[in-house]
Amino acid sequence: MVATLLTHNYFSNFNAPRIVSLNPCEPPNPNQSQYAVSGPRFPKLNQLQLTHFSASKTLTEPCNITLIDALRSCIDSGSIEDALYLFEEMNHSDTFTWNIVIKGLVQKGLFDEAISYFHRMEFEGVRPDKFTYPFVLKACAGLLSFKEGSKVHAKLIKVGLDLDVYICNSLISMYMKVGCLESGENVFEEMSARDLVSWNAMVSGYQLVGDSLSSLVCLREMVSVGIRPDSFSFISGLGACSVEGFGRNGKEVHCQVIRNGFEMDPRVETSLIDMYGKCGNAIYAERVFNMIVDKNIVTWNVMVAGYAYNARFYESFSCVKKMQDVGKLTPDVITMINLLPACAQTGALLMAKSIHASAIRKGFLPHIVLETALVDFYGRCGKLKLAEHVFTQINQKNLASWNAMIAAYVQNGWYSEALELFLDMWYNSVKLDVITFASILPAYAEITSLSEGRQIHAVVTKLRLSSSNVIISNSIIYLYAKCGDLRTAGRCFDGMVCKDVVSWNTIIMAYAIHGFGRVSVQFFQEMIENGIKPNKSTFVSLLSACSISGMVDEGWEYFNSMKRDYGINPGIEHFGCMLDLIGRTGNLDLAKHFIEEMPLVPTARIWGSLLSASRKANDIEFAEVASKHALSLEHDNTGCYILLSNMYAEAGRWADVEKIKTLVIQEGIAKTMGCSTVEKDYKVHRFVDQDGSNAQVNMINDVMDIITKMTVKDEDVYARRITKLRRTDLTRKKPNVPGNHSVRSAISFGLISTKLGSPVLIRKNVRICEACHIFAKRVSKISKREMVVGDSKVFHHFEDGNCSCGDYW
DNA sequence: CTAGGGTTAG
């Protein structure tokens, strides 16, 4: 009778559109379309279910049992909506029914909903039992919610279920997954009896949080207390070894695997391949891989990743081919994700595009990880528009996808786009992590705004990122150096507890670009004394320091020591530094000889270096040779044209100046407008040559007049220079009138707008000219203030009439 | 009748 009633009820709704709210505490919400049942979705009975129903009529079984079977069938077949619908229709006063539903929700990854049902269960007076809690804890772990998890823990203590082994194991696992090691350890410590699963939960927990060492110690300890590890233990243990530097441990675990007879377990085998791949041991990975008879898609994917990780990109590609031909398997999303880094490294744009296309055809998209991998790939290949395209199409962007897009912008020099995106995240309260900051900080260094640099430093400090992360600290040092604040850069360096080779390279370069080569050299020596091994970049910094500060002999000595003492072959960057160094001496023949003797193909930068040297030595013939080479490699090299043109102008060769002008127009190159900037009250004040747009222009002009009168003394170089240029001005109009140079307006503005005694910081987008340099020196003397002018290459520290560059730049 | 630990991805 009851059975008939229930069946009747149930079929009466057969065709009615029905909406089931997944959140039992709230009324059904018709807009919640994702899981709503919008039509006669239920019943969708399979044969098994039908048998149950017909059986219930004939056999006089209690009906709820049958319904529960139906409920379980729904969950097993993955249709949670149907299960929830059925659940609402049936009598759910017993714990068991609730357990089934909560289990189903957790299996589907609907953790919030699982917890809601748990609350509702309690609200309706149904007592959760020892079976309920493991599901609920799994949901808490899935949400990564320590808060929710510890609330459940508290309740467990209250109802006295906190001693059950299953529940304790669930608790350990939950705490480890939400990242609270201590709580997990406490539960483990206080257990009266630990079983295999308890130990496994610890081994996997430590592995999950990245504490490989503890994970392995745990694995060893469980053996020593007489618990035989199983495949679960080994999979976690191998996971712990899947990091660089743990290869030896990995091999030990491999031995243990064999001794315990798990080497034929497919998942253990997969973990072994993965471990060897990530430890940089592609040969062992391959060996394990080849022994496996029945390879599944995961096995193949892991091998594809292993090849890519070990820079064996083409084997990575052929592995995918074999997987299709030999393995008779179709690449899946993960295959694609694994393949994309190999495409980026080999510049295989076409292959990546066909992966992208295939993903679309197969309906793999949207897929957040694949999309992020695509953004990363397009970014690495300089296809910013494509990266943006993929990025904007991601509807549920997460931290990794934002980070990938920011990195793509920064790698390609699209700094303002990167900053805009970063601030977008910031203002939209998207959670940021270390990677976000590591990606964005170089952009802050490039926009060279000291006030903004300070702000981002404050943020980083507040989030305690700079104290814990070397990459971040190094970026901060570089940022301050690039923003002109060498003192703070030095302070940040001194404050670092764990300096790595990059930290030292950065501080050496920082002092180098500020013209304090002596200090750079001291840092280098200190670095060696501290037992830090220099690398290629160290020598770029060091040789730059020698060249910028004119330390010719030291430069040669360090250059020669690279190979001899440190086993580093000089690369093209090092030859470039040396060429700058030779250029300083004015020995152009030696410079040219040096290029010819170089074991590497000269780049545009190399010829550009010779060109600058020719300019300094005032040798037009050399300059012509150098620019010819430079322009053949980089026909849009603006600086090259300008330098040459200036040299012709100074020599009065106006026909040649015109020729270059025509060339420049032909190439469609815009001349960079010389402009200087000074920051004041978080605002950037720009000064362009012959500019009258600044609000305080009159005051600036007054200051400039006063200073000029004070600085210009008869027979000094400055005056001579002016007369020389005036003379050429008479012949042909030349925009390079020093009196209107933006640096001078900027200096005047800087003097009146900044705190007395503090350094005046000015930035210039092109190199400072000689007249301005002399002007700045004089001002520093009469005003008794330090002035820092950062031009496009170095920083000039003017103090008491002298410049840190030693008048050579 | 239900429970705990596990392989590939940015």
Side-chain angles (χ1 to χ4, degrees):
Chain A
M1 191 57 196
V2 182
T4 336
L5 253 172
L6 274 164
T7 11
H8 173 74
N9 253 348
Y10 160 63
F11 280 110
S12 70
N13 280 324
F14 188 85
N15 283 315
R18 175 80 189 201
I19 291 156
V20 177
S21 167
L22 278 178
N23 190 339
C25 298
E26 278 169 24
N29 175 4
N31 297 326
Q32 198 180 347
S33 60
Q34 201 185 352
Y35 301 111
V37 181
S38 56
R41 289 281 309 274
F42 188 76
K44 203 170 52 179
L45 298 177
N46 58 31
Q47 205 46 50
L48 182 79
Q49 288 167 311
L50 284 171
T51 338
H52 281 307
F53 279 98
S54 47
S56 76
K57 275 186 203 162
T58 46
L59 310 170
T60 46
E61 270 176 325
C63 173
N64 228 13
I65 299 253
T66 329
L67 280 175
I68 278 171
D69 282 341
L71 189 64
R72 291 166 68 186
S73 295
C74 290
I75 285 168
D76 290 344
S77 65
S79 100
I80 191 75
E81 298 98 332
D82 295 352
L84 293 179
Y85 180 81
L86 185 51
F87 176 75
E88 296 305 329
E89 291 304 311
M90 61 196 281
N91 168 12
H92 44 254
S93 60
D94 66 298
T95 305
F96 180 60
T97 317
W98 283 94
N99 289 351
I100 298 290
V101 167
I102 294 173
K103 171 192 168 187
L105 289 166
V106 173
Q107 266 176 4
K108 271 270 172 184
L110 301 167
F111 305 123
D112 269 320
E113 290 79 0
I115 290 168
S116 296
Y117 270 77
F118 169 65
H119 290 321
R120 182 178 150 201
M121 167 186 192
E122 290 190 297
F123 182 74
E124 290 188 9
V126 184
R127 208 187 175 83
D129 61 7
K130 59 177 179 174
F131 293 107
T132 319
Y133 285 102
F135 297 134
V136 177
L137 287 168
K138 206 171 187 171
C140 299
L143 286 177
L144 298 179
S145 168
F146 171 77
K147 209 174 135 195
E148 208 58 58
S150 45
K151 269 198 281 190
V152 176
H153 189 182
K155 186 160 292 158
L156 280 165
I157 295 169
K158 216 157 92 184
V159 298
L161 277 172
D162 60 318
L163 297 173
D164 183 276
V165 187
Y166 276 80
I167 285 177
C168 282
N169 293 344
S170 297
L171 274 170
I172 295 171
S173 173
M174 179 276 293
Y175 278 128
M176 298 304 251
K177 274 184 188 147
V178 303
C180 189
L181 289 185
E182 224 170 285
S183 305
E185 284 164 350
N186 280 342
V187 175
F188 182 78
E189 293 289 328
E190 280 164 30
M191 284 173 81
S192 50
R194 304 174 191 98
D195 67 1
L196 173 61
V197 178
S198 321
W199 285 95
N200 283 351
M202 292 306 283
V203 176
S204 99
Y206 283 125
Q207 184 251 318
L208 268 168
V209 298
D211 187 348
S212 299
L213 215 61
S214 301
S215 176
L216 293 172
V217 168
C218 230
L219 183 62
R220 187 170 300 171
E221 237 170 65
M222 73 188 277
V223 178
S224 73
V225 299
I227 294 194
R228 251 179 92 97
D230 65 355
S231 64
F232 286 77
S233 331
F234 289 125
I235 289 164
S236 300
L238 289 168
C241 298
S242 299
V243 256
E244 254 184 51
F246 275 87
R248 277 190 71 94
N249 302 285
K251 280 187 186 171
E252 279 171 35
V253 178
H254 191 173
C255 294
Q256 247 178 306
V257 165
I258 295 169
R259 276 202 305 277
N260 287 276
F262 285 101
E263 81 270 35
M264 297 294 268
D265 183 307
R267 292 186 186 197
V268 174
E269 286 170 319
T270 309
S271 297
L272 278 167
I273 301 167
D274 189 47
M275 180 274 292
Y276 281 125
K278 287 189 178 139
C279 289
N281 195 340
I283 296 167
Y284 272 51
E286 225 172 0
R287 203 177 289 171
V288 177
F289 178 76
N290 288 333
M291 302 262 279
I292 301 174
V293 194
D294 244 350
K295 301 180 181 81
N296 62 27
I297 185 94
V298 184
T299 325
W300 286 97
N301 283 346
V302 164
M303 197 61 233
V304 170
Y307 282 129
Y309 191 84
N310 289 281
R312 290 165 66 167
F313 307 115
Y314 294 100
E315 279 157 290
S316 200
F317 299 146
S318 63
C319 193
V320 176
K321 179 120 181 40
K322 266 189 237 154
M323 148 184 185
Q324 291 165 284
D325 298 346
V326 184
K328 304 283 172 221
L329 288 162
T330 321
D332 67 357
V333 186
I334 296 174
T335 320
M336 294 180 176
I337 294 164
N338 283 337
L339 221 41
L340 283 169
C343 293
Q345 295 276 337
T346 53
L349 184 62
L350 219 61
M351 187 182 319
K353 280 188 171 173
S354 76
I355 289 173
H356 191 172
S358 157
I360 294 169
R361 276 197 308 275
K362 291 187 174 173
F364 288 169
L365 292 175
H367 183 290
I368 185 76
V369 182
L370 179 56
E371 285 163 316
T372 307
L374 282 166
V375 170
D376 180 76
F377 167 81
Y378 285 126
R380 283 180 201 277
C381 291
K383 302 286 174 201
L384 266 284
K385 284 285 158 207
L386 288 171
E388 273 177 339
H389 177 77
V390 176
F391 179 71
T392 44
Q393 288 206 329
I394 305 176
N395 39 15
Q396 293 276 309
K397 297 179 181 66
N398 63 20
L399 184 55
S401 40
W402 286 91
N403 286 349
M405 193 63 230
I406 288 182
Y409 280 137
V410 175
Q411 280 158 14
N412 291 278
W414 292 33
Y415 304 118
S416 48
E417 285 82 358
L419 288 165
E420 199 180 310
L421 203 61
F422 172 72
L423 292 174
D424 233 33
M425 288 175 85
W426 182 259
Y427 289 120
N428 287 312
S429 309
V430 179
K431 248 186 143 70
L432 310 166
D433 68 355
V434 194
I435 298 175
T436 319
F437 284 97
S439 307
I440 199 66
L441 282 170
Y444 272 98
E446 293 305 326
I447 59 157
T448 58
S449 155
L450 184 55
S451 58
E452 285 189 56
R454 282 183 181 142
Q455 290 178 62
I456 196 73
H457 183 204
V459 171
V460 162
T461 310
K462 210 166 172 181
L463 295 172
R464 297 172 192 280
L465 292 175
S466 52
S467 51
S468 59
N469 190 295
V470 200
I471 300 174
I472 300 286
S473 309
N474 294 342
S475 301
I476 294 285
I477 297 171
Y478 186 66
L479 181 147
Y480 276 113
K482 286 284 278 184
C483 290
D485 189 347
L486 186 60
R487 248 165 244 158
T488 308
R491 258 204 300 277
C492 290
F493 177 80
D494 293 339
M496 278 180 78
V497 186
C498 301
K499 303 179 179 88
D500 68 0
V501 63
V502 181
S503 322
W504 290 95
N505 295 350
T506 309
I507 199 71
I508 293 172
M509 189 54 120
Y511 279 91
I513 59 173
H514 282 264
F516 300 106
R518 294 271 157 225
V519 184
S520 294
V521 166
Q522 278 168 20
F523 272 114
F524 176 71
Q525 271 147 9
E526 202 182 314
M527 166 183 181
I528 300 297
E529 282 158 21
N530 276 280
I532 309 283
K533 240 185 97 183
N535 62 17
K536 272 177 176 253
S537 306
T538 316
F539 283 97
V540 175
S541 299
L542 190 60
L543 297 176
S544 300
C546 295
S547 126
I548 292 168
S549 298
M551 298 150 67
V552 179
D553 296 338
E554 281 103 324
W556 278 109
E557 173 50 30
Y558 286 128
F559 181 71
N560 293 328
S561 77
M562 279 180 70
K563 183 92 209 329
R564 188 188 62 216
D565 303 340
Y566 304 100
I568 299 167
N569 277 319
I572 194 77
E573 333 76 282
H574 305 108
F575 285 104
C577 294
M578 288 315 287
L579 207 53
D580 291 340
L581 191 88
I582 301 164
R584 262 196 93 103
T585 64
N587 190 341
L588 295 183
D589 290 313
L590 178 62
K592 190 154 177 293
H593 184 71
F594 187 75
I595 296 179
E596 284 159 1
E597 293 295 301
M598 228 167 54
L600 299 162
V601 183
T603 56
R605 188 243 182 258
I606 295 286
W607 293 113
S609 175
L610 182 65
L611 178 61
S612 309
S614 320
R615 158 90 166 136
K616 283 287 155 197
N618 225 339
D619 188 320
I620 291 199
E621 268 165 59
F622 258 105
E624 282 171 336
V625 174
S627 19
K628 212 181 99 195
H629 279 111
L631 290 172
S632 74
L633 294 165
E634 259 181 29
H635 60 95
D636 58 346
N637 191 325
T638 322
C640 205
Y641 288 111
I642 293 188
L643 235 153
L644 205 55
S645 161
N646 284 349
M647 284 179 81
Y648 285 139
E650 273 168 36
R653 288 169 58 173
W654 300 109
D656 291 315
V657 174
E658 284 304 319
K659 217 158 68 192
I660 291 187
K661 216 186 219 168
T662 330
L663 255 172
V664 166
I665 293 166
Q666 266 175 20
E667 293 282 343
I669 299 165
K671 189 190 167 188
T672 327
M673 254 316 241
C675 116
S676 304
T677 52
V678 179
E679 271 188 65
K680 193 207 168 198
D681 300 335
Y682 300 103
K683 261 197 263 164
V684 176
H685 299 259
R686 288 167 60 88
F687 300 89
V688 189
D689 294 338
Q690 290 175 314
D691 185 30
S693 63
N694 193 283
Q696 304 182 48
V697 68
N698 287 331
M699 209 203 287
I700 292 167
N701 282 338
D702 290 345
V703 175
M704 215 150 77
D705 278 348
I706 298 167
I707 297 170
T708 312
K709 275 183 198 129
M710 288 171 80
T711 52
V712 179
K713 305 241 168 72
D714 13 36
E715 22 90 295
D716 69 18
V717 197
Y718 171 65
R720 258 188 284 140
R721 182 114 194 124
I722 296 227
T723 20
K724 186 180 163 197
L725 288 170
R726 287 256 163 80
R727 206 178 327 116
T728 55
D729 282 346
L730 293 175
T731 339
R732 192 65 63 99
K733 197 164 178 284
K734 194 167 179 288
N736 257 352
V737 187
N740 290 323
H741 274 188
S742 56
V743 170
R744 313 169 99 239
S745 316
I747 287 177
S748 310
F749 176 76
L751 281 174
I752 55 171
S753 64
T754 52
K755 217 167 65 202
L756 208 66
S758 64
V760 178
L761 180 59
I762 291 148
R763 310 203 51 91
K764 189 159 174 29
N765 62 341
V766 291
R767 301 226 63 183
I768 188 171
C769 77
E770 202 179 332
C772 288
H773 198 264
I774 295 166
F775 179 82
K777 282 204 293 187
R778 295 218 157 251
V779 174
S780 76
K781 194 173 176 79
I782 56 166
S783 68
K784 296 196 169 45
R785 287 184 68 175
E786 184 189 353
M787 271 173 304
V788 183
V789 181
D791 73 12
S792 55
K793 196 180 165 208
V794 297
F795 284 86
H796 301 259
H797 284 248
F798 298 99
E799 225 175 340
D800 196 30
N802 297 309
C803 179
S804 61
C805 75
D807 297 341
Y808 186 99
W809 68 93

